Amino acid sequence: SCFLRHARSRNYTSESEMCKLEPIPLDFGDYHPLKPITVTESKTKKMNRKGSTSSTSSSSSSSVMDPLSSVLDGTDPLSLFAAAADPVTATATMDGARRKRDKDDSSAVGSDFEPWSSKRGDILARYTTTEKLSINLYMGSEKGKSTTTGSAVSEKVRTRLEELDDLEEGSQKELLNLTQQDYMNRIEELNQSLKDAWSSDQKVKALKIVIQCSKLLSDTTVIQFYPSKFVLITDILDTFGKLVYERILSMCVDNRVSLPDNFSPESVNDTAKETCLNWFFKIASIRELIPRFYVEAAILKCNKFLSKTGISECLPRLTSMIRGIGDPLVAVYARAYLCRVGMEVAPQLKESLNKNFFDFLLTFKQIHGDTVQNQLVVQCVEMPLYLTLYSPAIDWILQCIAYHAPEVLLTEMMERCKKLGNNALLLNSVMSAFRAEFIAARSMDFIGMIKECDESGFPKHLLFRSLGLNLALADPPENDHLQILNEAWKVITKLKNPQDYINCAEVWVEYTCRHFTKREVNTVLADVIKHMTPDRAFEDAYPQLQSIIQKVITYIYDFSLLFSVEKFLPFLDMFQKESVRVEVCKCIMESFIKHQQEPTKDPVILNALLHICKTMHDSVNALTLEDEKRMLAALINGFIKMVSFGRDFEQQLSFYVEARSMFCNLEPVLVQLIHSVNQLAMETRKVMKGNHSRKTAAFVRACVAFCFITIPSLSSIFTRLNLYLHSGQVALANQCLSQADAFFKAAVSLVPEVPKVISVDGKMRPSDAFLLEFLCNFFSTLLVVPDHPEQGVLFLVRGLLNVIQDYTWEDNSDDKVRIYTNVLHLLSAMTQEAYIYHVDKVDSNDTLYGGDSKFLAEINKLCETVIAQILDHLKTLGKEETLKRQSQLALYFFNTIVAHGDLRNNKLNQLSVNLWNLAQKHGFADTKTMVKTLEYIKRRSKQPEMSHFTDLALRLPLQSRT
């Protein structure tokens, strides 16, 4: 009972002044830690030390270094440890890094060259078959395996020679009737067999496997699968080439020093050269042309070990060898492989690549010869399909030729295409391989060539698609913009097949959006709707339709303009499949949130986006994942925040009411709406400068009512508690006292429902800490809440204390006592003549009661009850296992008395000394904390009217841990 009667009377203003940091005058020329460090390089001073550049820092950097760099002394500690542990490894690592850097610098093929590996997946996915395939598997020869340990060297040599004779006659096993997947599995098995044979030092067996695989490339019995077969077999050839090269390179290691990347043949030892020549001789003895060509091309890089000009001499010879391949499809893929290897090992030798392509052009007429025509009849393959089989090979050859090529060469290519009668297949590959800027600048020439193409072989719409892809990347001459669109769209709009049509339209929409106004975009969208609506053709074209929407919103991101495009919303209606429709809606909302700078009240935008948000909201069901709900809610919230009717607050509230009815299934949206309405009430208060008229008072009460009826619909209990508190504070600020009381009462009555554990980010956590935090915030608000005239003194505080008393706390928790201690802070603040803070235009209890003795007596009674509860709890902690908790709580309560109590009162003084001794009694007190607390009391004793702290300090002994 002594506590409140002797609560320290506070002068908050002077206390605040005393607690302020001591001001230090600042010279603005000084370094400031948040100012960016600028370094200026000076050229005046030259240092003699090689490789160093002299630089002087400006005043900002010279006064203080970067703290992390100064600690590390410019070195990375992990590197230091590694270097200390293994100097050889460290040096090798540095050499390797330097070599890689040198290689990157000298390499003629840069990152702008699209590698073969990126095309591989597309080819395998595109060229498939349902027909049965066959494969010849090398089974290995049994000869020479049973040599005895004592056999002579000559025996070993003879065995090797026999194996070489047997190179192509090793026992084979033909596997028939394989599905495409079986075939791919078999090829993968061969690849693994190659690696196994190599690692077990069976080099001849490895070579046989590669020869057998290469032979498969002469087989075109299932012709539509040939491009995919080429990809799979050349993977094995690449593996073989790498193994041979690394084997010979490993033989060049001298005294543990390996060759640099740009080594010369002179630095290769004789053993390595002999092994390398041996490989080339083995390959030269292969009788069949196709395996001989492919295997030699695979190890082309090994020529580096023999002579500087080896590769440049081999490439023309290999190019000429391809002339001996009769089947034009097999030949063009052989040329593609040679280009691929050539670009890897000698990208500077462009002449051979060009010769390779011009050879192809000379033999191109073979495609229309009798042999090919008869083959197509046998396999029931149409000419247009057959021609598409050439695309990957020709595209690759042309990409290699066009890489960093001068304009002259590209112009020459165009002329050669014209000479071949504007062959569509070639023209398509030229447009795929050449730089977009080159194609775009000559768009009208290409359109002229496309028009003259023969329609029978390669479809014209594919040519327009290729042209459109280039125009999406580069701009044609401005005067040609409209003519190009008209010429292209004339062809596209006549397409009967919806799939062909949409594949082209999707590409040309981007060109239209880039260069034209909403009128042309609207025309194009209308045409797409006209083509894709009959027979619900849109159902098979959702990816393309999505792509069109994406392109439109990328270029037209002013939403008032976008929604004035008449056909935009009807276009959205084609997305009938819910999952796709929701994805499209998400794209549109993301674009709106990203690009909308100013809040909007445009009715066209609001109606359209409400419809889109409603679509997203209605897709939520019991199976929707939490992440998906969160994402949808975030997009809808982004839209809600961007809606503003300016000073028309009533219209704004109506919008929030409508939004609440539309988005009731997404809790985060309801939470956002409550916050938005609270903000609206505070905006009203700001406009009225706190003096509400009858109209604004009624409006604010409507806002408060909105929140009061929305909060109970939320499921998360702490969200409800915090929103009750927040909304109560807003009601109080707007002088709606009875409404504020209603919010606070609702919060008090909700506390008993708080569960022991709650879900936080998907994990179950104890709720005590969250409840403690909420109650501390609540107490801070209750200080300024005036008592209701009919409810009695401190009715809300009493109600809350009763709830805390009845709440079932965990046995090992001291939160109840911590809460009671915080209640003492509140009660102490309530006894002051003037409270530490107020709500503008709201009279708190300090004004209402004016320090009335009855009011203070009521507070005192409450205080007695609370202190009794705290002391009772401290007694229950006297058992051995709870002594540490008792020590911590005793010190916590002691600090409360020192901060808030008037220690001139003997009883209170004695209580504080008892608590101090209890905290130390069993040796659980932290010595540092006790010393600092005592120092603080001694410091306080020097302040005015605090001399009694000197006596207190003398009565507080420090016990050593013994």
Side-chain angles (χ1 to χ4, degrees), residues 587-626:
C587 278
I588 295 169
M589 290 313 300
E590 279 165 6
S591 175
F592 175 77
I593 291 165
K594 182 179 175 185
H595 293 111
Q596 187 72 24
Q597 301 295 326
E598 298 294 319
T600 181
K601 60 175 181 179
D602 182 332
V604 176
I605 294 180
L606 295 192
N607 287 330
L609 290 185
L610 273 172
H611 170 67
I612 286 168
C613 288
K614 180 77 174 136
T615 302
M616 295 195 307
H617 168 270
D618 292 350
S619 70
V620 174
N621 57 37
L623 300 176
T624 309
L625 297 171
E626 285 303 316

Side-chain angles (χ1 to χ4, degrees), residues 783 830 832-838 843-851 855:
L783 175 64
M830 283 183 159
Q832 306 301 322
E833 281 182 37
Y835 289 172
I836 186 168
Y837 46 81
H838 291 88
D843 290 334
S844 296
N845 286 342
D846 57 343
T847 313
L848 292 182
Y849 292 109
F855 172 66

Side-chain angles (χ1 to χ4, degrees), residues 144-152 155-156:
K145 289 210 175 156
S146 57
T147 52
T148 58
T149 50
S151 64
E155 181 68 25
K156 193 174 179 184

Side-chain angles (χ1 to χ4, degrees), residues 463-478:
L463 297 174
F464 273 108
R465 186 174 191 278
S466 297
L467 179 62
L469 287 168
N470 281 292
L471 296 180
L473 299 170
D475 297 338
E478 203 164 331

Side-chain angles (χ1 to χ4, degrees), residues 713-726:
S713 63
L714 304 175
S715 63
S716 163
I717 193 153
F718 278 103
T719 305
R720 273 185 283 161
L721 281 171
N722 286 311
L723 284 173
Y724 274 135
L725 178 56
H726 185 218

Side-chain angles (χ1 to χ4, degrees), residues 4 7-8 10 12 778-787 793-798 801 822-837 844-847 849-852 855-856 858-860 862 900:
L4 259 294
R8 189 160 65 82
R10 313 279 288 266
Y12 291 119
F778 200 178
F779 295 147
S780 304
T781 304
L782 289 180
L783 175 64
V784 290
V785 178
D787 280 345
V793 179
L794 302 181
F795 74 104
L796 281 172
V797 179
R798 288 172 189 282
L801 281 172
N822 282 311
V823 172
L824 290 180
H825 301 173
L826 168 65
L827 296 174
S828 164
M830 283 183 159
T831 62
Q832 306 301 322
E833 281 182 37
Y835 289 172
I836 186 168
Y837 46 81
S844 296
N845 286 342
D846 57 343
T847 313
Y849 292 109
D852 182 71
F855 172 66
L856 294 177
E858 285 295 329
I859 294 179
N860 197 39
L862 268 182
H900 298 278

Side-chain angles (χ1 to χ4, degrees), residues 72-288:
L72 294 176
D73 190 26
T75 54
D76 163 15
L78 296 179
S79 307
L80 285 178
F81 289 144
D86 186 356
V88 177
T89 315
T91 318
T93 309
M94 285 162 71
D95 287 348
R98 193 180 298 118
R99 274 215 301 275
K100 188 176 187 305
R101 191 172 63 245
D102 294 344
K103 182 182 171 187
D104 291 347
D105 291 346
S106 65
S107 171
V109 177
S111 56
D112 54 340
F113 183 81
E114 188 185 357
W116 174 259
S117 54
S118 66
K119 299 178 180 293
R120 200 180 161 281
D122 290 343
I123 297 172
L124 289 172
R126 186 174 163 199
Y127 298 97
T128 57
T129 182
T130 51
E131 292 188 37
K132 297 298 180 189
L133 301 151
S134 64
I135 188 171
N136 285 323
L137 277 186
Y138 166 69
M139 301 305 291
S141 169
E142 295 305 313
K143 290 183 201 171
K145 289 210 175 156
S146 57
T147 52
T148 58
T149 50
S151 64
V153 177
S154 58
E155 181 68 25
K156 193 174 179 184
V157 172
R158 195 176 329 116
T159 309
R160 276 286 169 88
L161 289 170
E162 282 176 0
E163 281 191 328
L164 282 174
D165 288 339
D166 190 37
L167 209 57
E168 292 167 85
E169 285 84 32
S171 60
Q172 295 178 22
K173 177 183 174 188
E174 188 171 20
L175 297 175
L176 302 168
N177 295 329
L178 298 176
T179 64
Q180 181 183 321
Q181 190 54 51
D182 291 339
Y183 189 90
M184 291 167 81
N185 293 343
R186 295 291 178 191
I187 296 287
E188 185 48 49
E189 282 172 26
L190 280 173
N191 203 350
Q192 193 54 49
S193 302
L194 167 66
K195 291 175 187 170
D196 293 344
W198 191 272
S199 59
S200 59
D201 209 26
Q202 294 177 286
K203 303 291 185 288
V204 174
K205 180 182 176 184
L207 181 57
K208 285 182 179 180
I209 291 171
V210 175
I211 293 168
Q212 294 300 337
C213 289
S214 306
K215 282 183 180 178
L216 295 172
L217 288 173
S218 58
D219 170 29
T220 55
T221 44
V222 182
I223 205 161
Q224 63 269 40
F225 183 62
Y226 192 84
S228 289
K229 184 201 284 189
F230 171 78
V231 167
L232 296 168
I233 302 292
T234 51
D235 281 353
I236 295 178
L237 288 163
D238 291 344
T239 304
F240 177 70
K242 196 186 290 178
L243 290 171
V244 173
Y245 183 82
E246 284 171 359
R247 162 85 177 132
I248 299 169
L249 188 65
S250 68
M251 298 170 81
C252 301
V253 175
D254 200 19
N255 296 331
R256 293 184 69 187
V257 177
S258 56
L259 288 177
D261 269 9
N262 50 354
F263 64 87
S264 64
E266 290 77 42
S267 55
V268 178
N269 60 42
D270 291 347
T271 317
K273 280 185 177 175
E274 194 179 327
T275 307
C276 187
L277 273 169
N278 191 16
W279 275 111
F280 280 111
F281 291 154
K282 278 180 190 170
I283 291 163
S285 68
I286 299 171
R287 289 178 208 147
E288 289 185 31

